[in-house]
Amino acid sequence: QVQLVESGGGSVQAGGSLKLSCVASEYTYDYCMGWFRQAPGKEREGVAHIYTTGGATFFHDSVKGRFTISQDTAKKTLYLQMNSLKPEDTAMYSCAAARAYCSDVYRRPEYFAYWGQGTQVTVSS
């Protein structure tokens, strides 16, 4: 059972930056770790993911060039650096983990067995 705890959300003006963190109770090889977001009235969507073995990354088209995902395996922590934030980035952001190849699952939240409680990101115009 992997437990995930996010932090770092908040309110920021458009163009600003935030860095989210997700601390895992265990951080092992062969997992897809990543971030999903869900805005009110919208479906949950994958934002950014990283395969813990090798570090391959995957991004939603809307955040490419603005968001960076990274990991610190010694600290069992996943990060999401969000720059040039837009009002449409406003959502609840959740950290998730799946024992699977990211290329197969990064758009499919139903394949992720472990979830954090979420952290709210609000971007004002």
mmCIF file of all heavy atoms in Angstrom, residues 4-35:
data_model
loop_
_atom_site.group_PDB
_atom_site.id
_atom_site.type_symbol
_atom_site.label_atom_id
_atom_site.label_comp_id
_atom_site.label_asym_id
_atom_site.label_seq_id
_atom_site.Cartn_x
_atom_site.Cartn_y
_atom_site.Cartn_z
ATOM 1 N N LEU A 4 0.384 8.585 -0.390
ATOM 2 C CA LEU A 4 0.881 9.766 -1.061
ATOM 3 C C LEU A 4 0.331 11.016 -0.384
ATOM 4 O O LEU A 4 -0.876 11.093 -0.117
ATOM 5 C CB LEU A 4 0.459 9.747 -2.535
ATOM 6 C CG LEU A 4 0.853 8.503 -3.336
ATOM 7 C CD1 LEU A 4 0.176 8.497 -4.701
ATOM 8 C CD2 LEU A 4 2.360 8.441 -3.513
ATOM 9 N N VAL A 5 1.195 11.978 -0.145
ATOM 10 C CA VAL A 5 0.770 13.225 0.494
ATOM 11 C C VAL A 5 1.290 14.397 -0.312
ATOM 12 O O VAL A 5 2.509 14.576 -0.444
ATOM 13 C CB VAL A 5 1.283 13.317 1.944
ATOM 14 C CG1 VAL A 5 0.835 14.632 2.572
ATOM 15 C CG2 VAL A 5 0.789 12.131 2.763
ATOM 16 N N GLU A 6 0.365 15.199 -0.842
ATOM 17 C CA GLU A 6 0.740 16.352 -1.657
ATOM 18 C C GLU A 6 0.827 17.619 -0.821
ATOM 19 O O GLU A 6 0.199 17.737 0.225
ATOM 20 C CB GLU A 6 -0.287 16.608 -2.786
ATOM 21 C CG GLU A 6 -0.575 15.438 -3.690
ATOM 22 C CD GLU A 6 -1.854 14.728 -3.322
ATOM 23 O OE1 GLU A 6 -2.209 14.718 -2.119
ATOM 24 O OE2 GLU A 6 -2.514 14.174 -4.227
ATOM 25 N N SER A 7 1.578 18.570 -1.336
ATOM 26 C CA SER A 7 1.639 19.902 -0.750
ATOM 27 C C SER A 7 2.057 20.878 -1.827
ATOM 28 O O SER A 7 2.509 20.469 -2.903
ATOM 29 C CB SER A 7 2.613 19.942 0.427
ATOM 30 O OG SER A 7 3.924 19.633 -0.004
ATOM 31 N N GLY A 8 1.902 22.163 -1.548
ATOM 32 C CA GLY A 8 2.407 23.182 -2.453
ATOM 33 C C GLY A 8 1.368 23.924 -3.257
ATOM 34 O O GLY A 8 1.706 24.863 -3.987
ATOM 35 N N GLY A 9 0.114 23.532 -3.153
ATOM 36 C CA GLY A 9 -0.912 24.257 -3.881
ATOM 37 C C GLY A 9 -1.134 25.638 -3.292
ATOM 38 O O GLY A 9 -0.571 25.999 -2.259
ATOM 39 N N GLY A 10 -1.944 26.429 -3.984
ATOM 40 C CA GLY A 10 -2.242 27.764 -3.503
ATOM 41 C C GLY A 10 -2.863 28.604 -4.584
ATOM 42 O O GLY A 10 -3.301 28.088 -5.621
ATOM 43 N N SER A 11 -2.897 29.905 -4.334
ATOM 44 C CA SER A 11 -3.458 30.853 -5.285
ATOM 45 C C SER A 11 -2.354 31.720 -5.854
ATOM 46 O O SER A 11 -1.472 32.171 -5.120
ATOM 47 C CB SER A 11 -4.493 31.736 -4.586
ATOM 48 O OG SER A 11 -5.578 30.965 -4.115
ATOM 49 N N VAL A 12 -2.423 31.944 -7.156
ATOM 50 C CA VAL A 12 -1.391 32.723 -7.824
ATOM 51 C C VAL A 12 -2.027 33.462 -9.000
ATOM 52 O O VAL A 12 -3.058 33.025 -9.531
ATOM 53 C CB VAL A 12 -0.246 31.793 -8.296
ATOM 54 C CG1 VAL A 12 -0.733 30.827 -9.364
ATOM 55 C CG2 VAL A 12 0.950 32.578 -8.768
ATOM 56 N N GLN A 13 -1.430 34.539 -9.398
ATOM 57 C CA GLN A 13 -1.918 35.267 -10.569
ATOM 58 C C GLN A 13 -1.396 34.623 -11.844
ATOM 59 O O GLN A 13 -0.360 33.941 -11.835
ATOM 60 C CB GLN A 13 -1.495 36.725 -10.496
ATOM 61 C CG GLN A 13 -2.228 37.527 -9.416
ATOM 62 C CD GLN A 13 -1.989 39.016 -9.551
ATOM 63 O OE1 GLN A 13 -0.918 39.444 -9.953
ATOM 64 N NE2 GLN A 13 -3.002 39.798 -9.197
ATOM 65 N N ALA A 14 -2.110 34.860 -12.918
ATOM 66 C CA ALA A 14 -1.692 34.338 -14.212
ATOM 67 C C ALA A 14 -0.262 34.771 -14.513
ATOM 68 O O ALA A 14 0.126 35.920 -14.252
ATOM 69 C CB ALA A 14 -2.632 34.825 -15.306
ATOM 70 N N GLY A 15 0.509 33.829 -15.040
ATOM 71 C CA GLY A 15 1.906 34.089 -15.312
ATOM 72 C C GLY A 15 2.835 33.688 -14.181
ATOM 73 O O GLY A 15 4.064 33.645 -14.371
ATOM 74 N N GLY A 16 2.262 33.388 -13.039
ATOM 75 C CA GLY A 16 3.061 33.009 -11.885
ATOM 76 C C GLY A 16 3.457 31.545 -11.887
ATOM 77 O O GLY A 16 3.185 30.812 -12.845
ATOM 78 N N SER A 17 4.097 31.129 -10.790
ATOM 79 C CA SER A 17 4.612 29.769 -10.679
ATOM 80 C C SER A 17 4.230 29.157 -9.336
ATOM 81 O O SER A 17 4.056 29.866 -8.345
ATOM 82 C CB SER A 17 6.141 29.766 -10.795
ATOM 83 O OG SER A 17 6.559 30.243 -12.054
ATOM 84 N N LEU A 18 4.115 27.844 -9.344
ATOM 85 C CA LEU A 18 3.931 27.059 -8.129
ATOM 86 C C LEU A 18 4.697 25.763 -8.283
ATOM 87 O O LEU A 18 4.869 25.272 -9.411
ATOM 88 C CB LEU A 18 2.447 26.741 -7.882
ATOM 89 C CG LEU A 18 1.539 27.841 -7.334
ATOM 90 C CD1 LEU A 18 0.097 27.374 -7.338
ATOM 91 C CD2 LEU A 18 1.970 28.274 -5.949
ATOM 92 N N LYS A 19 5.115 25.195 -7.160
ATOM 93 C CA LYS A 19 5.774 23.890 -7.182
ATOM 94 C C LYS A 19 5.037 22.964 -6.232
ATOM 95 O O LYS A 19 4.934 23.236 -5.035
ATOM 96 C CB LYS A 19 7.247 24.011 -6.777
ATOM 97 C CG LYS A 19 8.016 22.702 -6.930
ATOM 98 C CD LYS A 19 9.501 22.912 -6.679
ATOM 99 C CE LYS A 19 10.299 21.641 -6.931
ATOM 100 N NZ LYS A 19 11.763 21.856 -6.748
ATOM 101 N N LEU A 20 4.510 21.890 -6.778
ATOM 102 C CA LEU A 20 3.832 20.890 -5.988
ATOM 103 C C LEU A 20 4.796 19.778 -5.607
ATOM 104 O O LEU A 20 5.704 19.437 -6.373
ATOM 105 C CB LEU A 20 2.663 20.284 -6.765
ATOM 106 C CG LEU A 20 1.627 21.258 -7.327
ATOM 107 C CD1 LEU A 20 0.493 20.475 -8.002
ATOM 108 C CD2 LEU A 20 1.112 22.199 -6.281
ATOM 109 N N SER A 21 4.593 19.227 -4.427
ATOM 110 C CA SER A 21 5.394 18.090 -3.964
ATOM 111 C C SER A 21 4.466 16.950 -3.568
ATOM 112 O O SER A 21 3.347 17.182 -3.095
ATOM 113 C CB SER A 21 6.236 18.483 -2.754
ATOM 114 O OG SER A 21 7.140 19.515 -3.072
ATOM 115 N N CYS A 22 4.949 15.745 -3.742
ATOM 116 C CA CYS A 22 4.204 14.548 -3.352
ATOM 117 C C CYS A 22 5.186 13.596 -2.686
ATOM 118 O O CYS A 22 6.099 13.091 -3.349
ATOM 119 C CB CYS A 22 3.573 13.906 -4.579
ATOM 120 S SG CYS A 22 2.805 12.284 -4.271
ATOM 121 N N VAL A 23 4.998 13.392 -1.393
ATOM 122 C CA VAL A 23 5.859 12.479 -0.655
ATOM 123 C C VAL A 23 5.185 11.112 -0.590
ATOM 124 O O VAL A 23 4.009 10.998 -0.209
ATOM 125 C CB VAL A 23 6.127 13.005 0.765
ATOM 126 C CG1 VAL A 23 6.987 12.013 1.535
ATOM 127 C CG2 VAL A 23 6.801 14.370 0.707
ATOM 128 N N ALA A 24 5.937 10.090 -0.978
ATOM 129 C CA ALA A 24 5.413 8.727 -0.998
ATOM 130 C C ALA A 24 5.936 7.925 0.186
ATOM 131 O O ALA A 24 7.071 8.111 0.614
ATOM 132 C CB ALA A 24 5.815 8.044 -2.304
ATOM 133 N N SER A 25 5.103 7.021 0.686
ATOM 134 C CA SER A 25 5.537 6.158 1.794
ATOM 135 C C SER A 25 6.600 5.175 1.336
ATOM 136 O O SER A 25 7.413 4.710 2.123
ATOM 137 C CB SER A 25 4.344 5.402 2.378
ATOM 138 O OG SER A 25 3.722 4.611 1.375
ATOM 139 N N GLU A 26 6.573 4.852 0.037
ATOM 140 C CA GLU A 26 7.623 4.058 -0.568
ATOM 141 C C GLU A 26 7.774 4.509 -2.014
ATOM 142 O O GLU A 26 6.808 4.944 -2.640
ATOM 143 C CB GLU A 26 7.321 2.559 -0.489
ATOM 144 C CG GLU A 26 5.986 2.142 -1.050
ATOM 145 C CD GLU A 26 5.741 0.650 -0.870
ATOM 146 O OE1 GLU A 26 6.192 -0.109 -1.741
ATOM 147 O OE2 GLU A 26 5.111 0.276 0.137
ATOM 148 N N TYR A 27 9.000 4.421 -2.490
ATOM 149 C CA TYR A 27 9.283 4.906 -3.846
ATOM 150 C C TYR A 27 10.192 3.877 -4.495
ATOM 151 O O TYR A 27 11.368 3.794 -4.170
ATOM 152 C CB TYR A 27 9.975 6.272 -3.766
ATOM 153 C CG TYR A 27 9.749 7.141 -4.975
ATOM 154 C CD1 TYR A 27 8.780 8.147 -4.959
ATOM 155 C CD2 TYR A 27 10.508 6.969 -6.123
ATOM 156 C CE1 TYR A 27 8.568 8.951 -6.060
ATOM 157 C CE2 TYR A 27 10.292 7.762 -7.220
ATOM 158 C CZ TYR A 27 9.328 8.767 -7.190
ATOM 159 O OH TYR A 27 9.110 9.565 -8.288
ATOM 160 N N THR A 28 9.633 3.099 -5.414
ATOM 161 C CA THR A 28 10.377 1.971 -5.959
ATOM 162 C C THR A 28 10.438 2.034 -7.476
ATOM 163 O O THR A 28 9.823 2.905 -8.098
ATOM 164 C CB THR A 28 9.743 0.634 -5.535
ATOM 165 O OG1 THR A 28 8.412 0.581 -6.070
ATOM 166 C CG2 THR A 28 9.680 0.513 -4.030
ATOM 167 N N TYR A 29 11.162 1.111 -8.036
ATOM 168 C CA TYR A 29 11.305 1.036 -9.483
ATOM 169 C C TYR A 29 10.016 0.527 -10.132
ATOM 170 O O TYR A 29 9.158 -0.060 -9.484
ATOM 171 C CB TYR A 29 12.464 0.102 -9.846
ATOM 172 C CG TYR A 29 13.801 0.599 -9.387
ATOM 173 C CD1 TYR A 29 14.486 -0.035 -8.361
ATOM 174 C CD2 TYR A 29 14.380 1.719 -9.987
ATOM 175 C CE1 TYR A 29 15.722 0.419 -7.943
ATOM 176 C CE2 TYR A 29 15.609 2.183 -9.565
ATOM 177 C CZ TYR A 29 16.283 1.529 -8.542
ATOM 178 O OH TYR A 29 17.498 1.985 -8.124
ATOM 179 N N ASP A 30 9.922 0.781 -11.420
ATOM 180 C CA ASP A 30 8.846 0.238 -12.254
ATOM 181 C C ASP A 30 7.461 0.761 -11.905
ATOM 182 O O ASP A 30 6.469 0.059 -12.077
ATOM 183 C CB ASP A 30 8.831 -1.295 -12.201
ATOM 184 C CG ASP A 30 10.160 -1.906 -12.620
ATOM 185 O OD1 ASP A 30 10.879 -1.257 -13.395
ATOM 186 O OD2 ASP A 30 10.457 -3.026 -12.179
ATOM 187 N N TYR A 31 7.415 1.998 -11.427
ATOM 188 C CA TYR A 31 6.140 2.646 -11.163
ATOM 189 C C TYR A 31 5.990 3.858 -12.084
ATOM 190 O O TYR A 31 6.969 4.542 -12.407
ATOM 191 C CB TYR A 31 6.063 3.136 -9.712
ATOM 192 C CG TYR A 31 5.430 2.149 -8.763
ATOM 193 C CD1 TYR A 31 6.138 1.040 -8.315
ATOM 194 C CD2 TYR A 31 4.127 2.329 -8.307
ATOM 195 C CE1 TYR A 31 5.563 0.143 -7.434
ATOM 196 C CE2 TYR A 31 3.553 1.436 -7.424
ATOM 197 C CZ TYR A 31 4.267 0.349 -6.988
ATOM 198 O OH TYR A 31 3.700 -0.542 -6.119
ATOM 199 N N CYS A 32 4.767 4.125 -12.482
ATOM 200 C CA CYS A 32 4.428 5.386 -13.114
ATOM 201 C C CYS A 32 3.893 6.290 -12.013
ATOM 202 O O CYS A 32 2.882 5.978 -11.368
ATOM 203 C CB CYS A 32 3.378 5.194 -14.205
ATOM 204 S SG CYS A 32 2.964 6.724 -15.062
ATOM 205 N N MET A 33 4.584 7.390 -11.783
ATOM 206 C CA MET A 33 4.175 8.379 -10.789
ATOM 207 C C MET A 33 3.766 9.647 -11.524
ATOM 208 O O MET A 33 4.421 10.029 -12.504
ATOM 209 C CB MET A 33 5.342 8.709 -9.855
ATOM 210 C CG MET A 33 5.885 7.541 -9.068
ATOM 211 S SD MET A 33 4.799 7.034 -7.733
ATOM 212 C CE MET A 33 4.849 8.497 -6.689
ATOM 213 N N GLY A 34 2.727 10.292 -11.060
ATOM 214 C CA GLY A 34 2.364 11.494 -11.777
ATOM 215 C C GLY A 34 1.260 12.300 -11.132
ATOM 216 O O GLY A 34 0.842 12.047 -10.005
ATOM 217 N N TRP A 35 0.815 13.271 -11.898
ATOM 218 C CA TRP A 35 -0.172 14.228 -11.442
ATOM 219 C C TRP A 35 -1.376 14.232 -12.378
ATOM 220 O O TRP A 35 -1.223 14.279 -13.600
ATOM 221 C CB TRP A 35 0.433 15.631 -11.408
ATOM 222 C CG TRP A 35 1.581 15.749 -10.466
ATOM 223 C CD1 TRP A 35 2.894 15.516 -10.730
ATOM 224 C CD2 TRP A 35 1.513 16.108 -9.086
ATOM 225 N NE1 TRP A 35 3.655 15.707 -9.609
ATOM 226 C CE2 TRP A 35 2.832 16.079 -8.579
ATOM 227 C CE3 TRP A 35 0.482 16.467 -8.226
ATOM 228 C CZ2 TRP A 35 3.131 16.389 -7.248
ATOM 229 C CZ3 TRP A 35 0.773 16.781 -6.902
ATOM 230 C CH2 TRP A 35 2.087 16.734 -6.434
#
